[in-house]
Amino acid sequence: MDKGLFSILIPTWNNLRYLQLCIRSILTHSRYAHEILIHVNEGTDGTLAWVKQQGLKYTYSKENVGVCYALNGLRPLVSNPYILYMNDDMYALPGWDVALLDEIEAIGHKKFFLSGTLIQPRPFFCKSVIAPADYGQSVDTFEEERLLREFKSLPHGDWMGATWPPNVMHRDVWDLIGGYSVEFSPGMYSDPDLSAKLWHAGVRMFKGVDASRFYHFEARSTGRVVKNDGSTQFLRKWGITSRTFMNEVLHRGEPWQENAWLSARSFKGNVLRSKLKRALTIFKDVGMRNIWE
């Protein structure tokens, strides 16, 4: 197996069985030997011991520090040119890495942001995701063989507005924007914020790649954390709502069209509404969780 060009960053929080399946899928279904880097939050379920046993490169925190600190903390371990962020409850399907690398080669420059295409068991609000397509909602009910037979036949297509993981960018672009914004810890709305930072840094290629597919169990850890008010934080930081940015600037989930970034007529109206909403947030305390306590 040839050496891969991706450093795959995976934050995990006491989710060992999903992490094991995730890493097995990468090792089994990748054409190239990519670098796998893990941030272990707590690891009291055996995750820390297992990661050490596997000889994987990792960082560790005794408490859950959220995805922003976890991902940024892994950056010094990166040795490959492209940084790919993936959640521990995702299963990489055959051809995922070839499709992304082919797209990167076709782009021919560093200023891009790509996402793979998720397959999810439950209905989902965004058209970027293939859903509902239920091949199991947990490790115990996972229909792996049926998924491997059928995943290529699920209709979709390339799409606009790359934002959430699995996503990939060049490490130079990561460094240019400073990675993920820790003020969004533990991580709500850190994905659209990252895309907004990329936009302001001059990136215009935000593309979801259909042929790079991943199954997503949606076994998220967000129910166990005190969430930050990311929508208000985004509005205060950027002056528009996350919805306006996603829908009117990036057109997330719409079929891929080259350079179709702004719908000016509707965008102006949404900016005005965003300004009014931003003014009203003066009465709202979004707060920040002190992870150093």
Side-chain angles (χ1 to χ4, degrees), residues 83 118 200 252 260:
I83 296 175
L118 295 176
H200 280 268
R252 184 176 64 189

Side-chain angles (χ1 to χ4, degrees), residues 146-175:
R146 186 167 71 89
L147 175 64
L148 291 173
R149 289 196 307 268
E150 298 177 1
F151 80 93
K152 289 184 179 180
S153 65
L154 299 174
H156 202 256
D158 291 341
W159 48 277
M160 299 179 64
T163 175
W164 42 51
N167 57 46
V168 62
M169 72 179 84
H170 196 281
R171 66 184 179 189
D172 291 348
V173 176
W174 174 288
D175 292 340

Side-chain angles (χ1 to χ4, degrees), residues 242-252 254 261 263:
S242 172
R243 176 178 294 182
T244 296
F245 178 66
M246 289 290 105
N247 293 346
E248 305 298 340
V249 179
L250 297 190
H251 301 281
R252 184 176 64 189
E254 296 299 323
W261 298 117
S263 174

Side-chain angles (χ1 to χ4, degrees), residues 209-230:
V209 180
D210 177 42
S212 180
R213 294 190 171 190
F214 299 76
Y215 191 70
H216 186 207
F217 288 99
E218 303 176 86
R220 296 173 180 169
S221 302
T222 54
R224 293 183 278 160
V225 299
V226 178
K227 299 178 179 66
N228 58 298
D229 186 355

Side-chain angles (χ1 to χ4, degrees), residues 136-292:
Q137 300 187 24
S138 69
V139 171
D140 292 326
T141 61
F142 184 37
E143 297 181 66
E144 185 174 9
E145 292 185 5
R146 186 167 71 89
L147 175 64
L148 291 173
R149 289 196 307 268
E150 298 177 1
F151 80 93
K152 289 184 179 180
S153 65
L154 299 174
H156 202 256
D158 291 341
W159 48 277
M160 299 179 64
T163 175
W164 42 51
N167 57 46
V168 62
M169 72 179 84
H170 196 281
R171 66 184 179 189
D172 291 348
V173 176
W174 174 288
D175 292 340
L176 175 67
I177 64 168
Y180 280 76
S181 299
V182 297
E183 67 267 25
F184 283 82
S185 293
M188 307 302 115
Y189 286 77
S190 59
D191 294 326
D193 173 74
L194 184 78
S195 293
K197 292 203 296 183
L198 289 165
W199 177 270
H200 280 268
V203 174
R204 293 296 182 269
M205 172 65 74
F206 294 82
K207 186 174 185 178
V209 180
D210 177 42
S212 180
R213 294 190 171 190
F214 299 76
Y215 191 70
H216 186 207
F217 288 99
E218 303 176 86
R220 296 173 180 169
S221 302
T222 54
R224 293 183 278 160
V225 299
V226 178
K227 299 178 179 66
N228 58 298
D229 186 355
S231 62
T232 300
Q233 289 176 286
F234 187 97
L235 176 59
R236 286 181 176 176
K237 180 175 181 179
W238 298 110
I240 61 173
T241 63
S242 172
R243 176 178 294 182
T244 296
F245 178 66
M246 289 290 105
N247 293 346
E248 305 298 340
V249 179
L250 297 190
H251 301 281
R252 184 176 64 189
E254 296 299 323
W256 174 255
Q257 291 182 340
E258 199 79 32
N259 298 322
W261 298 117
L262 274 178
S263 174
R265 183 166 47 186
S266 59
F267 181 63
K268 289 180 180 178
N270 278 308
V271 167
L272 177 60
R273 285 190 290 274
S274 293
K275 287 180 178 178
L276 294 173
K277 288 182 178 180
R278 186 185 189 190
L280 292 174
T281 67
I282 192 173
F283 303 107
K284 191 173 186 180
D285 179 18
V286 297
M288 290 271 308
R289 184 171 64 96
N290 184 1
I291 68 167
W292 304 112

Side-chain angles (χ1 to χ4, degrees), residues 117-120 122 124 126-131 156 159 164:
T117 297
L118 295 176
I119 301 169
Q120 294 185 173
R122 295 183 284 274
F124 195 67
C126 184
K127 292 180 287 187
S128 68
V129 175
I130 300 172
H156 202 256
W159 48 277
W164 42 51

